[in-house]
Amino acid sequence: MSALPPLGASLPWMRAAQQALSRAVEADRLAHAVLLQVPRGAGGEWLARWCAARVLCRAATLRPCGECLDCRRVAADQHPDCLVVQPIEDSKEIRIDQVREAIAGLALSSHGGARKVAILAPAERLNRNAANSLLKTLEEPTRGTLLLLVAEAPGKLPATVRSRCTRVVVPAPGRAATLEWLAAHSTARVDWPAVLAAVGDRPLAALEADPAAAAQLAAEVQSSLDAAGTGQLDLVATAERWSRDGYAQRLDCIENWITERVRAAARHGGRAPEMRAGAHLPGAGVALNIRALFEALDLVREARGLAESTVNKSLVLERLLWRLLDPGERAGRHPGRADRAGNRDLTP
Ligand SMILES: [Zn+2]
């Protein structure tokens, strides 16, 4: 949490959520289980800690003070009344023993006399047994406890868990608001648009990124994608290399590259008259219509979902790169490995 804003802060894209949570705490009607739905990189875990501090800080007014011992302990994950449950290092899941331990902790009386809080983040990582174990607590909560579930995609949670939580939704911050906030928040001289080309409109992810490395990666991916459109990229070799080096970060860069083109297409009434993978915006040429771009975005999301799996990521990336070629190019010039393998599934 070192690079992150202090818990006394109010983040513009979270203001409505922060106000709603604060008013509920003030009126002592905050539900015992709250699902914080926050876009990736926009501060879901920060908001959960903010909410915990709002409950535990004895100097809180409409927001936690951010400076007292309670606030500092919550920010450092060292508050005895605030348990944080995350996938253990190297584990991709939140496991049942972790949830059981948290539930047992919640049953103990609080040190400070206020509520006991447990943060589960990302809640999508709860495995099935862990979710089932949590369900009992959601159905029969211990008095004075607060469960904060952080999720980017609540649809991935079991409906039984989802339905027992009060949901607070934080909207995506958007490019302009993200840039404005980063410029105001950070004293460092950073080329934020270049960083956002790598991480997307994700203000807290941008803050935590190494600016030079992020900008370099984005530029490299961008020039490769431009080259793909003119048939000058070895798709197989590129996919292979990207699958081994910075897979997730490169997917963010690709998503950005596509999103930029979707925005440009939208400015042209959805017809994408000048869209072409091989041209800088506004480029010349034909081909990448808005439908192809949205299909490619779907593929990026699918590819990201496979990041933790054992699926052959090189093939996944190759399929994605193919989708970013114009149809003429796809028809003949780049017989991909997928085709050679005769794998219909992976043929665009
Ligand atoms: Zn405080």
Side-chain angles (χ1 to χ4, degrees):
M1 298 276 289
S2 58
L4 298 181
L7 291 180
S10 171
L11 308 186
W13 62 97
M14 286 193 183
R15 197 161 288 141
Q18 289 179 296
Q19 283 173 355
L21 289 164
S22 196
R23 280 197 299 265
V25 173
E26 190 68 30
D28 197 23
R29 55 175 173 73
L30 186 64
H32 69 279
V34 179
L35 174 56
L36 303 170
Q37 181 180 338
V38 184
R40 198 163 55 93
E45 296 191 16
W46 183 88
L47 181 62
R49 288 175 178 86
W50 181 92
C51 187
R54 174 67 187 84
V55 169
L56 297 169
C57 170
R58 276 163 275 195
T61 49
L62 286 176
R63 59 177 72 171
C65 79
E67 287 165 10
C68 70
L69 186 61
D70 285 310
C71 285
R72 281 183 282 127
R73 280 179 165 174
V74 169
D77 288 351
Q78 286 172 352
H79 198 293
D81 292 331
C82 179
L83 316 164
V84 180
V85 185
Q86 294 174 304
I88 295 171
E89 215 170 331
D90 294 335
S91 160
K92 293 162 181 87
E93 299 180 323
I94 294 176
R95 297 185 174 149
I96 186 167
D97 48 339
Q98 294 178 264
V99 170
R100 281 184 179 148
E101 196 180 320
I103 291 169
L106 287 175
L108 301 172
S109 59
S110 80
H111 289 71
R115 291 171 88 154
K116 292 212 63 135
V117 185
I119 295 171
L120 296 109
E124 293 99 328
R125 299 284 190 89
L126 285 161
N127 71 19
R128 187 187 306 192
N129 289 337
N132 283 338
S133 172
L134 183 66
L135 205 52
K136 290 195 203 92
T137 302
L138 291 173
E139 283 165 344
E140 298 163 21
T142 313
R143 216 179 122 69
T145 62
L146 170 62
L147 285 167
L148 295 169
L149 282 70
V150 181
E152 171 200 345
K156 291 182 182 166
L157 289 170
T160 44
V161 169
R162 242 175 16 237
S163 65
R164 285 167 176 80
C165 298
T166 295
R167 199 181 299 202
V168 173
V169 181
V170 172
R175 175 63 51 108
T178 299
L179 284 173
E180 191 181 330
W181 181 77
L182 285 168
H185 179 83
S186 168
T187 50
R189 280 168 59 94
V190 174
D191 181 359
W192 290 116
V195 175
L196 296 194
V199 303
D201 301 342
R202 302 187 173 108
L204 298 200
L207 214 51
E208 290 185 294
D210 171 345
Q216 191 185 348
L217 188 76
E220 190 211 319
V221 169
Q222 187 171 331
S223 72
S224 296
L225 294 178
D226 288 346
T230 52
Q232 291 167 340
L233 187 74
D234 184 336
L235 298 191
V236 178
T238 304
E240 170 64 25
R241 189 163 57 80
W242 289 5
S243 70
R244 282 185 279 105
D245 172 33
Y247 176 79
Q249 293 90 327
R250 286 179 197 275
L251 284 176
D252 285 343
C253 297
I254 297 171
E255 183 177 37
N256 247 299
W257 186 89
I258 300 170
T259 306
E260 286 295 322
R261 276 144 188 82
V262 169
R263 283 176 183 149
R267 285 197 293 274
H268 287 98
R271 286 176 298 134
E274 293 172 339
M275 305 306 297
R276 184 185 165 91
H280 290 285
L281 289 174
V286 285
L288 271 186
N289 61 33
I290 200 158
R291 191 175 141 203
L293 291 168
F294 277 114
E295 283 172 5
L297 273 182
D298 284 342
L299 283 180
V300 171
R301 281 160 199 154
E302 201 180 306
R304 188 176 287 125
L306 297 169
E308 305 288 345
S309 76
T310 54
V311 165
N312 184 331
K313 292 177 189 60
S314 176
L315 283 179
V316 173
L317 282 171
E318 199 182 312
R319 182 181 172 208
L320 176 56
L321 290 173
W322 267 84
R323 186 56 56 110
L324 292 172
L325 298 182
D326 75 48
E329 300 285 344
R330 265 189 256 160
R333 284 173 61 178
H334 289 281
R337 180 173 53 195
D339 284 355
R340 291 201 300 274
N343 188 341
R344 288 284 149 220
D345 238 359
L346 288 161
T347 307

Short mmCIF file of all heavy atoms in Angstrom, two decimals, residues 18-31 50-57 60-62 115 146:
data_model
loop_
_atom_site.label_atom_id
_atom_site.label_comp_id
_atom_site.label_asym_id
_atom_site.label_seq_id
_atom_site.Cartn_x
_atom_site.Cartn_y
_atom_site.Cartn_z
N GLN A 18 -17.96 5.97 -1.55
CA GLN A 18 -17.46 6.35 -0.23
C GLN A 18 -18.55 7.05 0.58
O GLN A 18 -18.72 6.78 1.77
CB GLN A 18 -16.23 7.26 -0.37
CG GLN A 18 -15.00 6.51 -0.87
CD GLN A 18 -13.79 7.44 -1.03
OE1 GLN A 18 -13.81 8.35 -1.84
NE2 GLN A 18 -12.75 7.21 -0.26
N GLN A 19 -19.29 7.92 -0.07
CA GLN A 19 -20.36 8.63 0.64
C GLN A 19 -21.45 7.68 1.10
O GLN A 19 -21.93 7.75 2.23
CB GLN A 19 -20.95 9.73 -0.25
CG GLN A 19 -20.05 10.96 -0.33
CD GLN A 19 -20.54 11.99 -1.34
OE1 GLN A 19 -21.51 11.74 -2.06
NE2 GLN A 19 -19.87 13.13 -1.39
N ALA A 20 -21.82 6.75 0.22
CA ALA A 20 -22.88 5.80 0.57
C ALA A 20 -22.44 4.93 1.76
O ALA A 20 -23.21 4.71 2.71
CB ALA A 20 -23.22 4.93 -0.64
N LEU A 21 -21.20 4.46 1.71
CA LEU A 21 -20.70 3.61 2.80
C LEU A 21 -20.63 4.42 4.10
O LEU A 21 -21.03 3.95 5.16
CB LEU A 21 -19.31 3.07 2.45
CG LEU A 21 -19.28 1.99 1.34
CD1 LEU A 21 -17.87 1.82 0.80
CD2 LEU A 21 -19.83 0.67 1.87
N SER A 22 -20.14 5.64 3.99
CA SER A 22 -19.97 6.47 5.17
C SER A 22 -21.31 6.79 5.83
O SER A 22 -21.44 6.72 7.06
CB SER A 22 -19.25 7.77 4.78
OG SER A 22 -18.74 8.40 5.91
N ARG A 23 -22.28 7.12 5.00
CA ARG A 23 -23.61 7.42 5.56
C ARG A 23 -24.20 6.20 6.25
O ARG A 23 -24.83 6.31 7.30
CB ARG A 23 -24.55 7.91 4.45
CG ARG A 23 -24.35 9.38 4.09
CD ARG A 23 -25.54 9.91 3.30
NE ARG A 23 -25.71 9.19 2.03
CZ ARG A 23 -25.22 9.62 0.87
NH1 ARG A 23 -24.54 10.75 0.80
NH2 ARG A 23 -25.42 8.92 -0.22
N ALA A 24 -23.98 5.02 5.66
CA ALA A 24 -24.52 3.80 6.27
C ALA A 24 -23.84 3.52 7.62
O ALA A 24 -24.49 3.11 8.58
CB ALA A 24 -24.32 2.62 5.32
N VAL A 25 -22.52 3.75 7.69
CA VAL A 25 -21.82 3.56 8.96
C VAL A 25 -22.36 4.56 9.99
O VAL A 25 -22.65 4.20 11.13
CB VAL A 25 -20.29 3.76 8.78
CG1 VAL A 25 -19.58 3.74 10.13
CG2 VAL A 25 -19.72 2.69 7.87
N GLU A 26 -22.50 5.80 9.56
CA GLU A 26 -22.98 6.88 10.42
C GLU A 26 -24.35 6.53 11.04
O GLU A 26 -24.58 6.73 12.23
CB GLU A 26 -23.11 8.16 9.59
CG GLU A 26 -23.36 9.43 10.37
CD GLU A 26 -22.15 9.81 11.20
OE1 GLU A 26 -21.03 9.48 10.77
OE2 GLU A 26 -22.35 10.38 12.28
N ALA A 27 -25.22 5.97 10.21
CA ALA A 27 -26.58 5.65 10.66
C ALA A 27 -26.65 4.26 11.28
O ALA A 27 -27.73 3.77 11.62
CB ALA A 27 -27.55 5.74 9.48
N ASP A 28 -25.50 3.60 11.41
CA ASP A 28 -25.42 2.25 11.97
C ASP A 28 -26.34 1.28 11.23
O ASP A 28 -27.03 0.46 11.82
CB ASP A 28 -25.78 2.28 13.47
CG ASP A 28 -25.32 1.00 14.16
OD1 ASP A 28 -24.39 0.34 13.64
OD2 ASP A 28 -25.90 0.64 15.21
N ARG A 29 -26.36 1.42 9.90
CA ARG A 29 -27.17 0.48 9.13
C ARG A 29 -26.35 -0.13 7.98
O ARG A 29 -26.91 -0.54 6.95
CB ARG A 29 -28.44 1.15 8.61
CG ARG A 29 -28.19 2.40 7.81
CD ARG A 29 -29.46 2.98 7.21
NE ARG A 29 -29.19 4.26 6.59
CZ ARG A 29 -28.54 4.42 5.44
NH1 ARG A 29 -28.12 3.38 4.76
NH2 ARG A 29 -28.31 5.63 4.95
N LEU A 30 -25.05 -0.17 8.15
CA LEU A 30 -24.24 -0.85 7.14
C LEU A 30 -24.48 -2.35 7.26
O LEU A 30 -24.41 -2.90 8.36
CB LEU A 30 -22.74 -0.53 7.34
CG LEU A 30 -21.79 -1.08 6.27
CD1 LEU A 30 -22.07 -0.44 4.90
CD2 LEU A 30 -20.33 -0.84 6.65
N ALA A 31 -24.75 -2.99 6.14
CA ALA A 31 -25.03 -4.43 6.14
C ALA A 31 -23.85 -5.21 6.71
O ALA A 31 -22.74 -4.69 6.79
CB ALA A 31 -25.32 -4.89 4.72
N TRP A 50 -10.31 1.37 3.22
CA TRP A 50 -10.92 2.65 3.57
C TRP A 50 -12.19 2.42 4.40
O TRP A 50 -12.41 3.08 5.43
CB TRP A 50 -11.26 3.43 2.28
CG TRP A 50 -11.86 4.79 2.53
CD1 TRP A 50 -11.18 5.97 2.63
CD2 TRP A 50 -13.25 5.10 2.71
NE1 TRP A 50 -12.06 6.99 2.87
CE2 TRP A 50 -13.34 6.49 2.94
CE3 TRP A 50 -14.42 4.34 2.72
CZ2 TRP A 50 -14.55 7.14 3.16
CZ3 TRP A 50 -15.62 4.98 2.95
CH2 TRP A 50 -15.69 6.37 3.16
N CYS A 51 -13.00 1.48 3.94
CA CYS A 51 -14.27 1.19 4.64
C CYS A 51 -14.00 0.61 6.03
O CYS A 51 -14.66 0.98 7.01
CB CYS A 51 -15.11 0.24 3.79
SG CYS A 51 -16.76 -0.02 4.44
N ALA A 52 -13.00 -0.28 6.11
CA ALA A 52 -12.63 -0.84 7.41
C ALA A 52 -12.18 0.27 8.35
O ALA A 52 -12.56 0.32 9.52
CB ALA A 52 -11.53 -1.89 7.23
N ALA A 53 -11.37 1.19 7.82
CA ALA A 53 -10.88 2.29 8.64
C ALA A 53 -12.04 3.22 9.04
O ALA A 53 -12.07 3.73 10.16
CB ALA A 53 -9.81 3.08 7.87
N ARG A 54 -12.99 3.38 8.13
CA ARG A 54 -14.16 4.22 8.44
C ARG A 54 -14.91 3.65 9.66
O ARG A 54 -15.45 4.39 10.48
CB ARG A 54 -15.08 4.29 7.22
CG ARG A 54 -16.41 5.02 7.42
CD ARG A 54 -16.19 6.50 7.67
NE ARG A 54 -17.45 7.18 8.03
CZ ARG A 54 -17.96 7.22 9.25
NH1 ARG A 54 -17.35 6.60 10.26
NH2 ARG A 54 -19.09 7.87 9.50
N VAL A 55 -14.93 2.34 9.75
CA VAL A 55 -15.63 1.67 10.85
C VAL A 55 -14.78 1.70 12.13
O VAL A 55 -15.31 1.88 13.23
CB VAL A 55 -15.94 0.20 10.46
CG1 VAL A 55 -16.40 -0.61 11.66
CG2 VAL A 55 -16.98 0.16 9.35
N LEU A 56 -13.47 1.54 11.98
CA LEU A 56 -12.60 1.35 13.15
C LEU A 56 -11.97 2.64 13.68
O LEU A 56 -11.56 2.70 14.84
CB LEU A 56 -11.50 0.33 12.82
CG LEU A 56 -12.01 -1.07 12.47
CD1 LEU A 56 -10.88 -1.93 11.90
CD2 LEU A 56 -12.63 -1.74 13.70
N CYS A 57 -11.86 3.65 12.82
CA CYS A 57 -11.22 4.91 13.23
C CYS A 57 -12.11 5.66 14.21
O CYS A 57 -13.27 5.93 13.91
CB CYS A 57 -10.96 5.78 12.00
SG CYS A 57 -10.44 7.46 12.40
N ALA A 60 -13.01 9.34 13.03
CA ALA A 60 -13.64 9.49 11.72
C ALA A 60 -14.79 10.47 11.79
O ALA A 60 -15.55 10.50 12.76
CB ALA A 60 -14.14 8.14 11.22
N THR A 61 -14.88 11.28 10.76
CA THR A 61 -16.09 12.11 10.59
C THR A 61 -16.82 11.50 9.41
O THR A 61 -17.43 10.45 9.56
CB THR A 61 -15.69 13.58 10.34
OG1 THR A 61 -14.70 13.62 9.33
CG2 THR A 61 -15.16 14.20 11.61
N LEU A 62 -16.77 12.13 8.26
CA LEU A 62 -17.37 11.49 7.09
C LEU A 62 -16.39 10.52 6.44
O LEU A 62 -16.73 9.76 5.56
CB LEU A 62 -17.83 12.53 6.08
CG LEU A 62 -19.09 13.28 6.51
CD1 LEU A 62 -19.43 14.37 5.52
CD2 LEU A 62 -20.27 12.33 6.70
N ARG A 115 -16.63 -2.75 15.50
CA ARG A 115 -16.91 -3.99 14.77
C ARG A 115 -15.62 -4.73 14.45
O ARG A 115 -14.53 -4.16 14.47
CB ARG A 115 -17.64 -3.66 13.47
CG ARG A 115 -19.04 -3.16 13.69
CD ARG A 115 -19.63 -2.65 12.40
NE ARG A 115 -20.29 -3.73 11.64
CZ ARG A 115 -21.29 -3.50 10.78
NH1 ARG A 115 -21.74 -2.29 10.57
NH2 ARG A 115 -21.84 -4.50 10.13
N LEU A 146 -18.31 -7.40 10.11
CA LEU A 146 -18.48 -6.82 8.78
C LEU A 146 -17.59 -7.58 7.80
O LEU A 146 -16.38 -7.66 7.99
CB LEU A 146 -18.09 -5.33 8.80
CG LEU A 146 -17.99 -4.63 7.44
CD1 LEU A 146 -19.33 -4.62 6.71
CD2 LEU A 146 -17.47 -3.20 7.61
#
